[in-house]
Structures are given as structure tokens and as C-alpha cells.
């Protein structure tokens, strides 16, 4: 069966055709990063309007697969920006009606959790799922495609959001993750000791805003003495590397805590921050030390993409989930929450 996936929850407009849940035939992603750069973050109205412009060309490219009509359409219904979600859901509903094929609504964060299936081909449950992106930071116990429980999440900023805010503050531009990752490579991660928020809290929750404030205070202190941090590439790189070391240490520590608490033997990761080279290195080292399996997807399946939406849609459909035409958008949808209008039928 061919599944058409549609993803427009934030600032990536993506469509993909996947065969039987794990064979990606096409995966087209139109990034809007250039449109949002001058604002230092995603502007919801600009994102929604850009989706209206790009969704048809993106679909047109994605559907260039041996001419056959997909047997299922999967679309992100939440969580995300309401105006962005509406574009994808409206187009998905229209196509399902015009082609007379079933439609399935998918939770974007749950799709990140199962995205490893696109490269691994099968998923062995249970596992600890880690999602770290611009909008989400959470750990979940994943025991099936339709059985996911959040065990920890951020109490304030998402990790990617902290990268982006610090990068903007340091004058390094948007998005912050890739640039901080790059300049940290030749810098000293121990140059400044930034706090590791909630590292000893005993639970699996995160807090990133205190770390962000610590970086701001550090820079203000240096600048008070008359030095310009932003004009000193060495100093900037050391601050970036020290921030990154603190952020990654917390993520790894919390992931291993979840593994031990839940007594799981596998970790699967997803979300844009999983592209980070330091996080990949630290997570790999920690999982080897614990003797557990770790899977880190290729960057294209870490960041937002419609292939993971098509994939989860397929596995839910296989399990008997069906979606009525009344399905709406759910901007605040939680992991594990039933999608109204998309219930299991048998
Ligand atoms: O998953 P994603 O494409 O979109 C959301 O759902 O948010 O993630 C985007 C986020 C941005 O905050 C970006 O700065 C971050 O992922 N990111 C990175 C890296 N590449 C992207 N963060 C750290 N290191 C990277 N190499
Ligand atoms: Zn995402």
C-alpha cells in the first residue's frame, strides 16, 4: 500500500509517499527558514501563508511515483501552529474526498518517536523515546505504535528553542542549533561552567530557561567590563560550547534515568536537536556504557518530514484506526491522547 503523508505543523512544508510504512519513495521538504531568519524565530502567520503557497508544488513533486494513487492519506493534526496545521489538514481532506481514499490523523510528536522505523525497517517495543526539537522536549515510554506515555518533559523552553534564543542573543543568527554545533567543534566546552538545570531532580523532567539566563548573565558581566563578546569569535565559541555541554549533559542524564526507571533496553531519538554532533556523541557513549541499544536517525528523519507521518498513519491504519471527515486540527495535542474523530474501529 502507498501512503501519502502531509506535514505542515510548523515551518516545514512536507509531503511524502511511503510504501507499507517503512519504504520511503519520496520525501519532499520545503523549509521556510529563510523567511523566518530576520525575525529570529517562526512567525505563525508567515508560516501559514507560506504553506498555502508551497503545498501544491511540494505535493506535485512527492506524488511523482509511478502514477498510482495512494491508498491512504496521513496528515499531521497536531500539536503545532493552528494556521499551519489547517493548511495541511484541509488539503489532506480534499484529496481523500476527491480520490475516495481513507484519511488518518497523526500526532506529530508521536511520529518523531517512531521515525526510526523508516531506516531500521522494524521497531522492537518497548523503548524509551527521546524527542528534542524546536517545539518539544520529552521522554516517553513507547510500548506500541498506539501506546506511548510521557515520562518527562520540559517545564519551560524546548532544547531547540534554547539553542535558537541563545544564538540570537549572541548574534549568531537563526536557527541556532546548526551554528552553535559548528562553532563549538573547535572550542573549549569546559571554558565556563553553566548550570545543569534539574540534573539532580530525580525525575525525567527538563528546564532550559535557567541555563539560557545563565548564558545571558555571563555575557552581560563580560560586557560590563567593557569587552565586546560578540566581536570575539574565540570567546563566542567557548560560550557556545559550554552552553552545549550543559544542555547535552542534561539530556543524556535524563534519558539514562528514564531507561533505568522503566527498565528498558533501547533508546530511539528524534527531533531537530538530534542532528547535534555533541548530543549524538554523548548519547552513544552513555548507551554503550549502559549496555543498551541506541538508534539515532539520519538528520533528514530527525527534523520535520512527512515520511514519518505517512509511516505512523500506516501502522495506525493497520491496527484499525479510522478517521472521519470531521477530523479537525488540535494545536495542543498531547502524546498518548486520543485524536477526536480518529478512533480504533475494531
Ligand atoms: O524538529 P525540528 O526540525 O522542528 C521542530 O519540530 O521544532 O527542529 C528544529 C530545531 C531548531 O530549534 C534548531 O535550532 C534545532 O532543531 N537544530 C539543532 C541542530 N540542527 C537543528 N540543534 C542543535 N544542533 C543541531 N545540529
Ligand atoms: Zn518536529
Amino acid at each position: 500500500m502507498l501512503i501519502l503523508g502531509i506535514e505542515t505543523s510548523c515551518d516545514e512544508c512536507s509531503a511524502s509517499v511511503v510504501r507499507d510504512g517503512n519504504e520511503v519513495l519520496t520525501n519532499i521538504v520545503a523549509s521556510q527558514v529563510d523567511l523566518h531568519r530576520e525575525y529570529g524565530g517562526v512567525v505563525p502567520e508567515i508560516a501559514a501563508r507560506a504553506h498555502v503557497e508551497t503545498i501544491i508544488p511540494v505535493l506535485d513533486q512527492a506524488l511523482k511515483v509511478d502514477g498510482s494513487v495512494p491508498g491512504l492519506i496521513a496528515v499531521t493534526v497536531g500539536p503545532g501552529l493552528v494556521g499551519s496545521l489547517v493548511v495541511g489538514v484541509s488539503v489532506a481532506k480534499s484529496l481523500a474526498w476527491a480520490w475516495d481514499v481513507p484519511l488518518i490523523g497523526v500526532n506529530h510528536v508521536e511520529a518523531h518517536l517512531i521515525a526510526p522505523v523508516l531506516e531500521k525497517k522494524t521497531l522492537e517495543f518497548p523503548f524509551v523515546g527521546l524527542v528534542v526539537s524546536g517545539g518539544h522536549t520529552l521522554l516517553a515510554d513507547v510500548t506500541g505504535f498506539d501506546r506511548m506515555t510521557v515520562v518527562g518533559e520540559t517545564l519551560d523552553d524546548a532544547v531547540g528553542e534554547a539553542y535558537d534564543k541563545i544564538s540570537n542573543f549572541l548574534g549568531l543568527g537563526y536557527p541556532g542549533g546548526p551554528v552553535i554545533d559548528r562553532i563549538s567543534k573547535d572550542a573549549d566546552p569546559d571554558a565556563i561552567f553553566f548550570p545543569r538545570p534539574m540534573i539532580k531532580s530525580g525525575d525525567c523532567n527538563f528546564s532550559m530557561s535557567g541555563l539560557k539566563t545563565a548564558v545571558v548573565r555571563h555575557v552581560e558581566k563580560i560586557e560590563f567590563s567593557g569587552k565586546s563578546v560578540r566581536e570575539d569569535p574565540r570567546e563566542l565559541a567557548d560560550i557556545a560550547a559550554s552552553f552545549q555541554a550543559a544542555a547535552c549533559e542534561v539530556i543524556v542524564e535524563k534519558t539514562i534515568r528514564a531507561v533505568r526507571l522503566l527498565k528498558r533496553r533501547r533508546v530511539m531519538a528524534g527531533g531537530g536537536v538530534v542532528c547535534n554532533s555533541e548530543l549524538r556523541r554523548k548519547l552513544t557513549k552513555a548507551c554503550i556504557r549502559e549496555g543498551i541499544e541506541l538508534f539515532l536517525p539520519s538528520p533528514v528523519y530527525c527534523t520535520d518530514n512527512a515520511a514519518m507521518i505517512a509511516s505512523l498513519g500506516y501502522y495506525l491504519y493497520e491496527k484499525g484506526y479510522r478517521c472521519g471527515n470531521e477530523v479537525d486540527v488540535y494545536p495542543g495535542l498531547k502524546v498518548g491522547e486520543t485524536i477526536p474523530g480518529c478512533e480504533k474501529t475494531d
Side-chain angles (χ1 to χ4, degrees):
M1 178 199 248
L2 296 185
I3 312 104
L4 169 66
I6 298 178
E7 157 64 39
T8 62
S9 67
C10 190
D11 62 333
E12 322 283 4
C13 188
S14 180
S16 168
V17 175
V18 172
R19 181 178 283 130
D20 299 336
N22 61 11
E23 190 192 340
V24 181
L25 303 186
T26 57
N27 182 38
I28 309 300
V29 184
S31 169
Q32 299 177 1
V33 80
D34 292 338
L35 293 178
H36 301 286
R37 185 167 282 121
E38 67 174 294
Y39 305 99
V42 177
V43 182
E45 187 177 325
I46 293 177
R49 285 171 182 267
H51 285 308
V52 173
E53 275 179 27
T54 51
I55 187 94
I56 299 300
V58 164
L59 273 167
D60 194 44
Q61 274 194 63
L63 287 166
K64 289 205 165 93
V65 278
D66 66 30
S68 45
V69 169
L72 175 70
I73 299 176
V75 63
T76 305
V77 295
L81 302 170
V82 63
S84 292
L85 289 165
V86 161
V87 179
V89 171
S90 305
V91 168
K93 277 185 161 187
S94 309
L95 286 176
W97 175 76
W99 291 342
D100 194 23
V101 294
L103 175 72
I104 191 122
V106 169
N107 180 316
H108 175 88
V109 182
E110 293 182 359
H112 273 302
L113 287 165
I114 62 87
V117 77
L118 294 167
E119 291 170 284
K120 280 176 69 72
K121 302 299 168 196
T122 54
L123 278 185
E124 280 179 84
F125 299 105
F127 61 82
V128 167
L130 166 72
V131 177
V132 265
S133 71
H136 312 281
T137 294
L138 60 83
L139 282 158
D141 188 24
V142 184
T143 55
F145 286 105
D146 59 345
R147 283 184 296 163
M148 308 182 184
T149 311
V150 174
V151 293
E153 59 193 328
T154 184
L155 304 180
D156 39 63
D157 292 349
V159 179
E161 192 181 348
Y163 264 92
D164 294 339
K165 285 179 175 169
I166 286 170
S167 178
N168 277 330
F169 173 73
L170 295 174
L172 295 169
Y174 172 84
V179 59
I180 290 182
D181 193 359
R182 181 167 43 77
I183 67 170
S184 296
K185 288 203 166 91
D186 305 313
D188 178 8
D190 301 317
I192 309 127
F193 183 82
F194 289 126
R196 274 66 172 151
M198 295 183 67
I199 203 156
K200 298 214 185 306
S201 64
D203 58 19
C204 298
N205 289 326
F206 302 81
S207 165
M208 285 290 141
S209 74
L211 174 55
K212 185 187 65 195
T213 310
V215 175
V216 172
R217 293 283 168 274
H218 176 80
V219 171
E220 284 173 350
K221 221 162 92 190
I222 300 177
E223 295 199 324
F224 191 69
S225 67
K227 238 172 98 183
S228 174
V229 171
R230 290 172 188 80
E231 278 153 30
D232 182 345
R234 185 78 254 151
E235 184 90 52
L236 269 181
D238 280 349
I239 294 171
S242 301
F243 153 74
Q244 178 163 278
C248 293
E249 197 178 313
V250 178
I251 299 167
V252 173
E253 182 81 19
K254 297 284 177 172
T255 305
I256 300 302
R257 184 161 304 155
V259 164
R260 290 181 183 162
L261 280 173
L262 298 164
K263 300 191 171 50
R264 301 301 185 215
R265 307 306 304 157
R266 294 179 195 96
V267 173
M268 307 282 146
V273 182
V274 178
C275 297
N276 187 268
S277 55
E278 181 66 5
L279 180 61
R280 293 175 90 91
R281 195 183 64 76
K282 280 195 159 113
L283 266 177
T284 305
K285 206 169 142 195
C287 289
I288 291 173
R289 194 187 63 220
E290 292 290 310
I292 55 172
E293 183 198 339
L294 169 71
F295 187 80
L296 301 170
S298 304
V300 64
Y301 298 127
C302 287
T303 51
D304 289 349
N305 67 87
M308 66 182 187
I309 305 301
S311 179
L312 182 55
Y314 170 80
Y315 291 107
L316 294 176
Y317 186 78
E318 284 279 281
K319 283 187 168 293
Y321 286 84
R322 297 290 182 268
C323 196
N325 228 341
E326 69 278 16
V327 72
D328 199 347
V329 298
Y330 307 100
L333 192 66
K334 302 266 179 273
V335 166
E337 190 179 333
T338 303
I339 297 172
C342 275
E343 279 97 25
K344 202 169 178 172
T345 48
D346 48 87

Coordinates of all heavy atoms in Angstrom, one line a residue, residues 107 109-114 125-132 137-144 147-154 204-206 251 254-259 261-270 334-337:
N107 N -0.4 12.4 15.2 CA 0.2 13.2 16.2 C 1.7 13.4 15.8 O 2.4 12.5 15.7 CB 0.1 12.6 17.6 CG 0.7 13.4 18.7 OD1 1.8 14.0 18.5 ND2 0.1 13.5 19.8
V109 N 4.4 14.6 17.3 CA 5.4 14.2 18.2 C 5.5 12.6 18.3 O 6.6 12.0 18.3 CB 5.2 14.8 19.6 CG1 6.4 14.4 20.6 CG2 5.1 16.3 19.6
E110 N 4.4 12.0 18.2 CA 4.4 10.5 18.2 C 5.1 10.0 16.9 O 5.7 9.0 16.9 CB 2.9 10.0 18.3 CG 2.3 10.3 19.6 CD 0.8 9.7 19.7 OE1 0.4 9.1 18.7 OE2 0.2 9.9 20.8
A111 N 4.9 10.8 15.8 CA 5.6 10.4 14.6 C 7.1 10.5 14.7 O 7.8 9.6 14.3 CB 5.1 11.3 13.4
H112 N 7.6 11.6 15.4 CA 9.0 11.6 15.7 C 9.5 10.4 16.5 O 10.6 9.9 16.3 CB 9.4 12.9 16.6 CG 9.6 14.1 15.8 ND1 10.5 14.3 14.9 CD2 9.0 15.4 15.9 CE1 10.5 15.5 14.4 NE2 9.6 16.2 15.0
L113 N 8.6 9.9 17.4 CA 9.0 8.8 18.3 C 9.2 7.5 17.5 O 10.0 6.7 17.9 CB 8.0 8.6 19.4 CG 8.1 9.7 20.5 CD1 6.8 9.6 21.4 CD2 9.3 9.4 21.4
I114 N 8.4 7.4 16.4 CA 8.5 6.1 15.6 C 9.3 6.2 14.4 O 9.5 5.3 13.6 CB 7.1 5.4 15.4 CG1 6.3 6.3 14.5 CG2 6.4 5.1 16.7 CD1 6.5 6.2 13.0
F125 N 9.5 -3.1 20.4 CA 9.0 -2.4 21.6 C 9.3 -3.3 22.8 O 9.4 -4.5 22.6 CB 7.5 -2.3 21.4 CG 7.1 -1.4 20.2 CD1 6.5 -2.0 19.1 CD2 7.2 0.0 20.3 CE1 6.2 -1.2 18.0 CE2 6.9 0.7 19.2 CZ 6.3 0.1 18.0
P126 N 9.4 -2.8 24.0 CA 9.3 -1.3 24.3 C 10.6 -0.6 24.2 O 11.7 -1.3 24.1 CB 8.9 -1.4 25.8 CG 9.5 -2.6 26.3 CD 9.6 -3.6 25.2
F127 N 10.5 0.7 24.1 CA 11.8 1.5 24.1 C 11.5 2.9 24.7 O 10.3 3.3 24.9 CB 12.4 1.6 22.7 CG 11.5 2.3 21.7 CD1 11.4 3.7 21.6 CD2 10.8 1.6 20.7 CE1 10.7 4.3 20.6 CE2 10.0 2.2 19.8 CZ 9.9 3.6 19.7
V128 N 12.6 3.5 25.1 CA 12.5 4.9 25.6 C 12.7 5.8 24.4 O 13.6 5.7 23.7 CB 13.6 5.2 26.7 CG1 13.7 6.7 26.9 CG2 13.3 4.5 28.0
G129 N 11.7 6.7 24.2 CA 11.8 7.6 23.1 C 12.1 9.0 23.6 O 11.6 9.5 24.6
L130 N 13.1 9.6 22.9 CA 13.5 11.0 23.2 C 13.2 11.9 22.1 O 13.6 11.6 20.9 CB 15.1 11.0 23.5 CG 15.7 12.3 23.6 CD1 15.4 13.1 24.8 CD2 17.3 12.2 23.5
V131 N 12.5 12.9 22.3 CA 12.2 13.9 21.3 C 12.8 15.3 21.7 O 12.3 15.8 22.8 CB 10.7 14.1 20.9 CG1 10.5 15.2 19.9 CG2 10.2 12.7 20.4
V132 N 13.7 15.8 21.0 CA 14.3 17.1 21.3 C 14.3 18.0 20.0 O 15.0 17.7 19.1 CB 15.7 17.1 22.0 CG1 15.6 17.1 23.5 CG2 16.5 15.9 21.5
T137 N 10.4 18.9 23.9 CA 11.4 18.2 24.6 C 10.8 17.2 25.6 O 10.1 17.6 26.5 CB 12.3 19.2 25.4 OG1 13.0 20.0 24.5 CG2 13.4 18.5 26.3
L138 N 10.8 15.9 25.2 CA 10.2 15.0 26.1 C 10.8 13.6 26.0 O 11.5 13.3 25.0 CB 8.7 14.9 25.9 CG 8.1 14.5 24.5 CD1 8.1 13.0 24.3 CD2 6.7 15.0 24.3
L139 N 10.5 12.8 27.0 CA 10.9 11.4 27.1 C 9.6 10.6 27.2 O 8.7 11.0 28.0 CB 11.8 11.1 28.3 CG 13.3 11.5 28.1 CD1 14.0 11.8 29.4 CD2 14.1 10.5 27.2
A140 N 9.5 9.5 26.4 CA 8.3 8.7 26.5 C 8.6 7.2 26.6 O 9.7 6.8 26.1 CB 7.4 9.0 25.3
D141 N 7.7 6.5 27.2 CA 7.8 5.1 27.2 C 6.9 4.6 26.1 O 5.7 4.9 26.0 CB 7.2 4.5 28.6 CG 7.4 3.0 28.7 OD1 8.4 2.5 28.1 OD2 6.7 2.4 29.5
V142 N 7.6 4.0 25.1 CA 6.9 3.6 23.9 C 6.7 2.1 23.9 O 7.7 1.3 23.7 CB 7.6 4.1 22.6 CG1 6.8 3.8 21.3 CG2 7.9 5.6 22.7
T143 N 5.5 1.6 24.0 CA 5.3 0.1 24.0 C 4.5 -0.4 22.8 O 4.3 -1.6 22.6 CB 4.5 -0.3 25.3 OG1 3.3 0.5 25.4 CG2 5.4 0.0 26.5
G144 N 4.2 0.5 21.9 CA 3.5 0.1 20.6 C 3.2 1.4 19.8 O 3.4 2.5 20.3
R147 N 0.7 3.1 21.7 CA 0.8 3.1 23.1 C 2.1 3.8 23.6 O 3.2 3.3 23.5 CB 0.8 1.7 23.7 CG -0.6 1.1 23.7 CD -0.6 -0.3 24.2 NE 0.2 -1.2 23.4 CZ 0.6 -2.4 23.8 NH1 0.3 -2.8 25.0 NH2 1.3 -3.2 23.0
M148 N 1.9 5.1 23.9 CA 3.1 6.0 24.3 C 2.7 6.8 25.5 O 1.6 7.3 25.6 CB 3.4 6.9 23.1 CG 3.6 6.2 21.8 SD 4.0 7.4 20.5 CE 4.1 6.3 19.1
T149 N 3.6 6.8 26.5 CA 3.3 7.5 27.7 C 4.5 8.5 28.0 O 5.6 8.0 28.0 CB 3.2 6.5 28.9 OG1 2.3 5.5 28.6 CG2 2.6 7.2 30.2
V150 N 4.2 9.7 28.2 CA 5.2 10.7 28.5 C 5.7 10.4 30.0 O 4.9 10.3 30.9 CB 4.7 12.1 28.4 CG1 5.7 13.2 28.9 CG2 4.3 12.4 27.0
V151 N 7.1 10.3 30.1 CA 7.6 10.1 31.4 C 8.4 11.4 31.9 O 8.8 11.5 33.1 CB 8.5 8.9 31.5 CG1 7.7 7.6 31.3 CG2 9.7 8.9 30.5
G152 N 8.6 12.3 31.0 CA 9.3 13.5 31.4 C 9.2 14.5 30.3 O 9.2 14.1 29.1
E153 N 9.2 15.8 30.6 CA 9.1 16.8 29.6 C 9.7 18.2 30.1 O 9.9 18.3 31.3 CB 7.7 17.0 29.0 CG 6.7 17.4 30.0 CD 5.2 17.3 29.5 OE1 5.0 17.4 28.3 OE2 4.4 16.9 30.3
T154 N 9.8 19.1 29.2 CA 10.4 20.4 29.7 C 9.3 21.2 30.4 O 8.1 21.2 30.0 CB 10.9 21.2 28.5 OG1 11.5 22.4 29.1 CG2 9.9 21.6 27.5
C204 N 12.3 12.8 35.3 CA 12.8 12.9 33.9 C 12.4 14.2 33.3 O 12.4 14.3 32.0 CB 12.3 11.7 33.2 SG 12.8 10.1 33.8
N205 N 12.1 15.2 34.1 CA 11.7 16.5 33.5 C 12.9 17.4 33.2 O 14.0 17.1 33.8 CB 10.7 17.2 34.5 CG 9.4 16.6 34.5 OD1 8.9 16.0 33.5 ND2 8.7 16.6 35.7
F206 N 12.7 18.4 32.4 CA 13.8 19.3 32.0 C 13.4 20.7 32.3 O 12.2 21.0 32.3 CB 14.0 19.2 30.5 CG 14.3 17.9 29.9 CD1 13.3 16.9 29.7 CD2 15.6 17.5 29.6 CE1 13.6 15.7 29.1 CE2 15.9 16.3 29.1 CZ 14.9 15.4 28.8
I251 N 20.3 16.3 28.9 CA 19.5 15.4 28.0 C 19.9 14.0 28.2 O 19.1 13.1 28.4 CB 19.6 15.8 26.5 CG1 19.1 17.3 26.3 CG2 18.8 14.9 25.7 CD1 19.5 17.8 24.9
K254 N 19.0 12.6 31.7 CA 17.6 12.3 31.9 C 17.2 11.1 31.1 O 16.3 10.3 31.5 CB 16.8 13.5 31.4 CG 17.0 14.8 32.3 CD 16.3 14.7 33.6 CE 16.6 15.9 34.5 NZ 15.8 15.9 35.7
T255 N 17.8 10.9 29.9 CA 17.5 9.8 29.1 C 17.9 8.5 29.8 O 17.1 7.5 29.9 CB 18.2 9.9 27.7 OG1 17.9 11.1 27.1 CG2 17.8 8.7 26.8
I256 N 19.0 8.5 30.4 CA 19.5 7.3 31.1 C 18.7 7.0 32.3 O 18.4 5.9 32.7 CB 21.0 7.4 31.4 CG1 21.8 7.5 30.1 CG2 21.5 6.2 32.2 CD1 21.7 6.4 29.1
R257 N 18.2 8.1 33.0 CA 17.3 8.0 34.1 C 16.0 7.3 33.7 O 15.6 6.4 34.4 CB 17.0 9.3 34.7 CG 16.2 9.2 36.0 CD 16.3 10.5 36.8 NE 17.7 10.8 37.2 CZ 18.1 12.0 37.5 NH1 17.3 13.0 37.5 NH2 19.4 12.2 37.8
A258 N 15.5 7.7 32.6 CA 14.2 7.1 32.1 C 14.5 5.6 31.8 O 13.6 4.7 32.1 CB 13.7 7.8 30.8
V259 N 15.6 5.3 31.2 CA 15.9 3.9 30.9 C 16.0 3.0 32.1 O 15.4 1.9 32.2 CB 17.3 3.8 30.2 CG1 17.9 2.4 30.2 CG2 17.2 4.4 28.7
L261 N 14.6 3.8 35.2 CA 13.3 3.8 35.9 C 12.4 2.8 35.2 O 11.7 2.1 35.9 CB 12.7 5.2 35.8 CG 13.2 6.2 36.8 CD1 12.6 7.6 36.5 CD2 12.8 5.8 38.3
L262 N 12.4 2.8 33.9 CA 11.4 2.0 33.2 C 12.0 0.6 32.9 O 11.3 -0.3 32.4 CB 11.0 2.6 31.8 CG 10.4 4.0 31.9 CD1 10.4 4.7 30.6 CD2 8.9 3.8 32.4
K263 N 13.3 0.4 33.2 CA 14.0 -0.9 32.9 C 13.9 -1.3 31.5 O 13.5 -2.4 31.1 CB 13.4 -2.0 33.8 CG 13.6 -1.7 35.3 CD 13.2 -2.9 36.2 CE 13.6 -2.8 37.6 NZ 13.1 -1.5 38.3
R264 N 14.2 -0.3 30.6 CA 14.1 -0.6 29.2 C 15.5 -0.8 28.7 O 16.5 -0.4 29.3 CB 13.5 0.6 28.4 CG 12.1 1.0 28.8 CD 11.2 -0.2 28.6 NE 9.8 0.1 28.9 CZ 8.9 -0.8 29.4 NH1 9.3 -2.0 29.7 NH2 7.7 -0.4 29.6
R265 N 15.7 -1.4 27.5 CA 17.0 -1.8 26.9 C 17.3 -1.1 25.6 O 18.2 -1.3 24.9 CB 17.1 -3.3 26.7 CG 16.8 -4.2 27.9 CD 17.6 -3.8 29.1 NE 19.0 -3.9 29.0 CZ 19.9 -3.2 29.8 NH1 19.4 -2.4 30.7 NH2 21.2 -3.2 29.5
R266 N 16.3 -0.1 25.2 CA 16.5 0.5 23.9 C 16.1 2.0 24.0 O 15.2 2.3 24.8 CB 15.6 0.0 22.9 CG 15.8 -1.4 22.5 CD 14.8 -1.9 21.4 NE 15.0 -3.4 21.4 CZ 14.2 -4.2 22.1 NH1 13.2 -3.7 22.8 NH2 14.4 -5.5 22.1
V267 N 16.9 2.8 23.3 CA 16.5 4.2 23.2 C 16.5 4.6 21.7 O 17.3 4.3 20.9 CB 17.6 5.1 23.9 CG1 17.4 6.6 23.6 CG2 17.7 4.8 25.4
M268 N 15.4 5.3 21.3 CA 15.2 5.8 20.0 C 15.1 7.3 20.1 O 14.3 7.8 21.0 CB 13.9 5.3 19.3 CG 13.8 3.8 19.3 SD 14.8 3.0 18.1 CE 15.2 1.5 19.0
A269 N 15.8 8.1 19.2 CA 15.7 9.5 19.4 C 15.2 10.2 18.1 O 15.2 9.6 17.1 CB 17.1 10.1 19.7
G270 N 14.7 11.4 18.3 CA 14.1 12.2 17.2 C 14.0 13.7 17.5 O 14.2 14.1 18.6
K334 N -1.6 16.2 23.0 CA -0.5 15.6 23.8 C -0.2 14.2 23.3 O -1.0 13.5 22.7 CB -1.0 15.4 25.2 CG -1.5 16.8 25.9 CD -0.3 17.4 26.6 CE -0.6 18.7 27.3 NZ -0.4 19.9 26.4
V335 N 1.0 13.7 23.6 CA 1.4 12.4 23.3 C 0.5 11.4 24.1 O 0.3 11.6 25.3 CB 2.9 12.1 23.7 CG1 3.3 10.6 23.7 CG2 3.8 12.9 22.7
G336 N 0.0 10.4 23.4 CA -0.9 9.4 24.1 C -2.3 9.8 24.1 O -3.2 9.0 24.4
E337 N -2.7 11.0 23.7 CA -4.1 11.5 23.7 C -4.8 10.9 22.5 O -4.2 10.9 21.4 CB -4.0 13.0 23.6 CG -5.4 13.7 23.9 CD -5.2 15.2 23.9 OE1 -4.2 15.8 24.2 OE2 -6.3 15.8 23.6

